[in-house]
Amino acid sequence: GAVVSQHPSWVICKSGTSVKIECRSLDFQATTMFWYRQFPKQSLMLMATSNEGSKATYEQGVEKDKFLINHASLTLSTLTVTSAHPEDSSFYICSADPRLAVTDTQYFGPGTRLTVL
Amino acid sequence: GENVEQHPSTLSVQEGDSAVIKCTYSDSASNYFPWYKQELGKRPQLIIDIRSNVGEKKDQRIAVTLNKTAKHFSLHITETQPEDSAVYFCASDTGRRALTFGSGTRLQVQP
């Protein structure tokens, strides 16, 4: 159990285009999902917290108009990178929090590698 | 905000030896400390975690210790094997469920 999927697993796009990444919790409901970004050979950095039915909370320095987050259901959050540029090329990973009383564990998706040409 | 520092950045050990990775955190409100193993291009994999009301936790060859007073926690891997080679990340949660990660340690186990 506790499986999180992401789609697509990789994407290559031209500069200036928009890319949507989906994060789904397959066998549990997640009122909260998190989006992280990981540049090559670096750590995971939290971008935003996605709450079902409400606006996302963005970390300092993350442009909310560039990284649009929608959490329309308890099993799906989407991240749209608008007007992507080469510096947005990164590994984007989501995690879903089942908010179980017995564990603090959150579950990570497999990641989406974005390459902007 | 929370800041997590991790050392060393790289660690090379001989197969069978022990490996220790150390992290410090800044926010005294942090109450949950997971450790992740990440292989190239893959998702982080939880290997062990500890809550702030516990000083030590062990799972077979892996153990984590926590010193709340000093705000540091450590990962101990005994009897290392080549398949333990990966990048390891510590993390902390201040209670808002989002994780702040350390900078990572690349562990290489030499056969």
Side-chain angles (χ1 to χ4, degrees), chain A residues 41-110:
Chain A
K41 296 188 178 181
Q42 293 189 27
S43 186
L44 286 81
M45 297 295 291
L46 179 68
M47 298 177 66
T49 301
S50 171
N51 296 298
E52 187 265 338
S54 64
K55 291 184 178 180
T57 304
Y58 291 82
E59 295 300 297
Q60 192 172 7
V62 178
E63 300 175 58
K64 62 180 181 180
D65 294 331
K66 181 172 181 62
F67 299 98
L68 302 179
I69 291 172
N70 188 315
H71 194 153
S73 78
L74 289 172
T75 59
L76 173 64
S77 176
T78 60
L79 168 68
T80 301
V81 184
T82 62
S83 186
H85 291 286
E87 56 266 30
D88 298 323
S89 298
S90 189
F91 193 47
Y92 292 85
I93 309 175
C94 69
S95 72
D97 185 356
R99 289 196 175 259
L100 299 176
V102 295
T103 178
D104 295 285
T105 303
Q106 53 185 267
Y107 299 93
F108 283 88

Side-chain angles (χ1 to χ4, degrees), chain B residues 25-83:
Chain B
Y25 60 98
S26 61
D27 194 333
S28 57
S30 292
N31 58 12
Y32 173 63
F33 307 91
W35 284 89
Y36 291 90
K37 175 183 180 183
Q38 188 181 34
E39 297 177 350
L40 189 62
K42 299 196 174 179
R43 79 185 83 193
Q45 178 186 2
L46 179 69
I47 56 172
I48 197 166
D49 56 9
I50 191 167
R51 284 197 59 86
S52 58
N53 57 349
V54 177
E56 184 174 356
K57 184 177 178 180
K58 188 174 182 180
D59 182 6
Q60 299 183 341
R61 297 186 297 111
I62 296 173
V64 56
T65 59
L66 171 66
N67 183 327
K68 284 176 55 180
T69 303
K71 294 185 193 164
H72 68 69
F73 55 114
S74 300
L75 176 71
H76 304 253
I77 305 174
T78 59
E79 300 172 28
T80 54
Q81 302 166 2
E83 50 265 39

Side-chain angles (χ1 to χ4, degrees), chain A residues 23-40:
Chain A
C23 176
R24 292 182 185 271
S25 55
L26 299 185
D27 51 3
F28 65 96
Q29 294 183 334
T31 55
T32 305
M33 292 184 176
F34 303 97
W35 287 96
Y36 296 86
R37 178 168 55 183
Q38 186 176 32
F39 292 109

